[in-house]
Amino acid sequence: MFLITFGSAASTWVLIHTLGPASASAGSVLLATMPFLTGIHFLIGALMLDIQESPDRRAATAGIAGSG
């Protein structure tokens, strides 16, 4: 979540400073986008791990019904 927040803040900063005639350099664009994309990637990875570790609802209810 920190990387997503930092990337959003950096991209807002880059956007504000490039509204005039100046153009954004490649470094400032990468500073804005890479933390945001990395944070999204980490968040998706964490969700995937959480989904994999949670018990399957159908298997859990079938095990309870089959044991009794």
Side-chain angles (χ1 to χ4, degrees):
M1 294 304 291
F2 171 75
L3 288 173
I4 294 172
T5 305
F6 178 76
S8 297
S11 60
T12 303
W13 178 80
V14 168
L15 181 66
I16 288 171
H17 286 301
T18 58
L19 287 178
S23 62
S25 67
S28 62
V29 171
L30 285 176
L31 181 67
T33 57
M34 290 307 293
F36 183 76
L37 292 176
T38 304
I40 293 291
H41 186 248
F42 284 163
L43 186 62
I44 290 172
L47 287 171
M48 293 277 298
L49 286 173
D50 186 47
I51 290 169
Q52 288 176 355
E53 290 298 317
S54 65
D56 187 20
R57 187 176 300 255
R58 283 182 268 160
T61 56
I64 293 172
S67 65

